[in-house]
Amino acid sequence: MKVTILLICSCLVWGGLGKPQFPDQEKDPLFWNTWAQRTLKNALTLQKLNQNTAKNLILFLGDGMGIPTVTAARILKGQLSRQSGEETQLEMDKFPFVALSKTYNTNAQVADSAGTATAYLCGVKANEGTVGVSAAAVRSQCNSTQGNEVTSILRWAKEAGKSVGIVTTTRVNHATPSAAYAHCVDRDWYSDGEMPAEAVQAGCKDIARQLFENIPNIDVIMGGGRKYMFPKNQSDVEYPGEKKHFGTRIDRRNLVEEWNNRMKNKNAHYVWNKKELLSLNPNSVDYLLGLFEPGDLPYDLERNNETDPSLTEMVEVAIKILKKNPSGFYLLVEGGRIDHGHHEGKAKQALHEAVEMDRAIGHAGLMTSIYDTMTVVTADHSHMFNFGGYTPRGNTIFGLAPMLSDVDQKPFTAILYGNGPGFKVVNGLRENVSTLDYEENNYKAQSAVPLSMETHGGEDVAVFAKGPMAHLLHGVHEQNYIPHVMAYAACIGQNRDHCMSSSGASSLSAALPSLTALLTLIRLLC
């Protein structure tokens, strides 16, 4: 009986589709052979490696963007353009070099965003929950901070004379961006209002304060996190009546006002909404602080297009400001809410965030050159997210699988989570998803294990690279290898010997003809 129901359901689904959901040209072997040959010719050109020095460095970090998320986002991107989706190319798919990154923390098999950020920004693996400190530091133990600080590639770039920027869809003092400038044994110490009193008394600094004090002249800072910059109980400029958005600082400092005062003679601008941001002339802006929400920015699907900038819009302004520096720039861009969507079991929110980040990647590519700009796209960790169920070609990525379960005879969506808030039992049985709007923006996909928040996944994540020295990202690497490669490509940090030897070799090569002529003349005279 179960098998009969399964077959009937499958036939109904396939029968409803009519002819196969793929272009007729795909029936012809010539189509696939031609495509493969074209790809082969392109691959052969990669033998001519780009060994230029990278003037600019851009790291796009999709927080929680595991490989299943990349694949699902690719399909969504295509389906948003009325294609079946599977054959679509993401912008990151076009990068010529791809590697895998092992994401574990020094004390965790399945990583968190703080320890991983320390790895791919500072080049050192670290404990979960800590940013900008080595594994000798212990989470939440203030006295384990001093002496265990590690510096980031953003600082290396700044010290080399480059402009530097941070753009994120989360709080600017969230785990990912904070590892670029902070040294903190607890990722949750956003302001002193979130710190234990003994840690403050012992001299540990909150992350918001470190944003402005550790590397005081970060050229571009954009994201959320306004409330952590203002005195406790000070109302927010955008949401004056909502107490949850009030300032959190117990020390009563106004960090935005302090920044404005310090930068008043430096073509610096503070903005808090999209209109102010887009009204700026980047040519007359050298420093920009943009804090667009009290906390994280809204999901892209829920974004107010009039007041909140998209990730792509923020990236465009950032690059326009940073690229004015003749020495180049380093830019960290985080698609941070991919992670939040997955934690909440809201796959639609997560995947639209990934598509928006891919849009920003493409836009950055149009504004820069592969000849002098190294661009890397990766993730800090994965999630307990996947999709399957023998879905037919072109099936909406948020749709049902073409069968019923042969165990409980209920339908299921292609997207599922291993754990999370989508677990639900009705009268002792799994919920019937066909009675729900499973394509709604905030639908929580079913999960196997009930948790209030879905967890990270432990598998390797992809690393996409293009530009100078991109070929050095290949195979399977430890995550902390990434900033070392980028520093090597740009001749910053500790990786500068090859740049000096290259220039020396060039000088010697240029001098060899003259030296040979001189030796010949000496022999003739003698």
Side-chain angles (χ1 to χ4, degrees):
M1 181 63 182
K2 291 179 182 177
V3 175
T4 303
I5 293 173
L6 184 65
L7 288 173
I8 290 173
C9 182
S10 298
C11 290
L12 285 172
V13 172
W14 281 99
L17 291 173
K19 61 182 181 180
Q21 298 293 296
F22 56 85
D24 284 344
Q25 61 183 353
E26 293 187 13
K27 299 176 183 177
D28 187 349
L30 181 63
F31 168 79
W32 298 106
N33 290 331
T34 302
W35 191 350
Q37 288 297 316
R38 185 168 62 247
T39 304
L40 177 61
K41 288 179 180 178
N42 289 337
L44 289 169
T45 65
L46 299 181
Q47 291 177 331
K48 302 173 184 176
L49 300 177
N50 181 346
Q51 299 191 62
N52 300 339
T53 297
K55 176 182 177 182
N56 309 313
L57 298 170
I58 305 176
L59 176 64
F60 280 93
L61 193 286
D63 197 314
M65 191 180 69
I67 291 176
T69 299
V70 172
T71 307
R74 178 188 304 129
I75 293 171
L76 174 59
K77 178 182 178 180
Q79 292 181 348
L80 291 172
S81 300
R82 301 183 181 279
Q83 301 169 353
S84 65
E86 298 83 2
E87 72 290 344
T88 302
Q89 271 196 312
L90 292 167
E91 294 301 324
M92 64 187 93
D93 291 340
K94 301 172 186 177
F95 285 28
F97 297 98
V98 182
L100 291 176
S101 166
K102 297 191 286 183
T103 63
Y104 67 92
N105 295 147
T106 48
N107 66 339
Q109 187 177 76
V110 178
D112 93 312
S113 297
T116 50
T118 305
Y120 62 75
L121 290 174
C122 303
V124 174
K125 286 232 174 189
N127 293 328
E128 59 87 25
T130 66
V131 292
V133 289
S134 72
V138 181
R139 184 170 188 175
S140 302
Q141 290 188 15
C142 174
N143 63 3
S144 69
T145 307
Q146 191 169 2
N148 294 319
E149 300 92 341
V150 291
T151 58
S152 76
I153 187 171
L154 182 139
R155 180 183 283 274
W156 309 340
K158 189 69 175 176
E159 290 175 349
K162 295 183 184 296
S163 293
V164 296
I166 296 169
V167 173
T168 179
T169 52
T170 67
R171 288 152 278 183
V172 294
N173 49 348
H174 207 252
T176 295
S178 64
Y181 57 82
H183 312 290
C184 193
V185 291
D186 198 315
R187 58 174 288 178
D188 295 328
W189 291 355
Y190 299 119
S191 76
D192 63 342
E194 289 76 38
M195 293 177 66
E198 58 269 22
V200 176
Q201 291 164 5
C204 278
K205 295 182 181 181
D206 63 86
I207 297 172
R209 181 179 165 191
Q210 292 189 56
L211 172 62
F212 298 104
E213 295 182 0
N214 289 6
I215 309 176
N217 290 329
I218 296 175
D219 303 79
V220 173
I221 303 167
M222 280 191 277
R226 267 197 312 261
K227 66 181 180 180
Y228 306 107
M229 314 301 169
F230 292 96
K232 188 172 179 64
N233 293 327
Q234 179 172 319
S235 62
D236 183 72
V237 63
E238 189 173 5
Y239 310 100
E242 298 185 36
K243 289 188 176 181
K244 67 179 180 179
H245 296 316
F246 285 6
T248 64
R249 301 201 63 81
I250 296 173
D251 61 10
R252 309 301 299 169
R253 290 175 64 175
N254 184 326
L255 299 181
V256 171
E257 184 177 66
E258 291 179 16
W259 182 88
N260 272 324
N261 291 336
R262 190 174 73 246
M263 309 294 283
K264 60 184 176 183
N265 297 319
K266 296 186 177 182
N267 293 325
H269 295 263
Y270 166 67
V271 296
W272 62 269
N273 60 55
K274 177 179 174 178
K275 183 179 180 181
E276 289 182 345
L277 175 68
L278 299 187
S279 67
L280 295 174
N281 178 358
N283 292 324
S284 60
V285 178
D286 294 329
Y287 297 94
L288 174 63
L289 174 61
L291 301 174
F292 303 107
E293 286 290 329
D296 302 317
L297 271 61
Y299 287 120
D300 198 61
L301 280 176
E302 299 173 352
R303 180 170 58 87
N304 183 326
N305 290 326
E306 300 298 318
T307 59
D308 294 310
S310 68
L311 183 61
T312 301
E313 288 166 338
M314 290 192 290
V315 166
E316 178 177 352
V317 174
I319 292 177
K320 284 180 177 178
I321 294 171
L322 297 173
K323 70 189 301 185
K324 294 184 297 181
N325 187 338
S327 296
F329 64 85
Y330 172 87
L331 176 61
L332 168 64
V333 181
E334 183 196 19
R337 303 223 63 197
I338 301 169
D339 177 74
H340 295 173
H342 282 322
H343 277 309
E344 295 176 352
K346 299 175 181 178
K348 191 166 188 177
Q349 298 285 11
L351 296 184
H352 275 270
E353 292 294 307
V355 170
E356 171 57 25
M357 192 182 84
D358 193 66
R359 188 177 296 117
I361 292 167
H363 200 65
L366 295 174
M367 299 180 69
T368 55
S369 167
I370 59 169
Y371 296 104
D372 68 359
T373 302
M374 183 187 202
T375 305
V376 176
V377 180
T378 189
D380 45 359
H381 53 72
S382 187
H383 272 271
M384 296 294 287
F385 161 87
N386 219 316
F387 68 99
Y390 304 116
T391 45
R393 178 78 175 270
N395 197 71
T396 170
I397 192 62
F398 304 114
L400 295 175
M403 61 180 71
L404 301 179
S405 164
D406 60 356
V407 175
D408 65 9
Q409 286 77 51
K410 285 188 172 68
F412 58 97
T413 53
I415 285 175
L416 296 168
Y417 286 93
N419 57 44
F423 181 93
K424 191 172 183 181
V425 174
V426 178
N427 297 324
L429 299 172
R430 182 171 65 92
E431 188 175 38
N432 188 337
V433 296
S434 65
T435 65
L436 307 171
D437 183 2
Y438 48 79
E439 295 200 47
E440 191 265 330
N441 289 354
N442 291 303
Y443 170 72
K444 296 178 181 179
Q446 289 187 333
S447 65
V449 176
L451 288 176
S452 58
M453 294 288 281
E454 176 266 0
T455 73
H456 296 167
E459 77 270 21
D460 298 348
V461 297
V463 186
F464 305 86
K466 69 175 181 178
M469 299 295 177
H471 58 279
L472 297 179
L473 287 162
H474 64 281
V476 182
H477 299 295
E478 294 288 354
Q479 193 168 40
N480 67 293
Y481 174 68
I482 294 170
H484 291 281
V485 170
M486 298 184 76
Y488 184 91
C491 294
I492 61 176
Q494 61 184 300
N495 292 294
R496 284 182 279 191
D497 291 347
H498 65 289
C499 308
M500 295 167 62
S501 62
S502 295
S503 59
S506 299
S507 301
L508 181 60
S509 298
L512 279 176
S514 300
L515 183 60
T516 302
L518 179 61
L519 290 173
T520 301
L521 179 61
I522 290 172
R523 281 200 301 270
L524 289 173
L525 291 174
C526 295

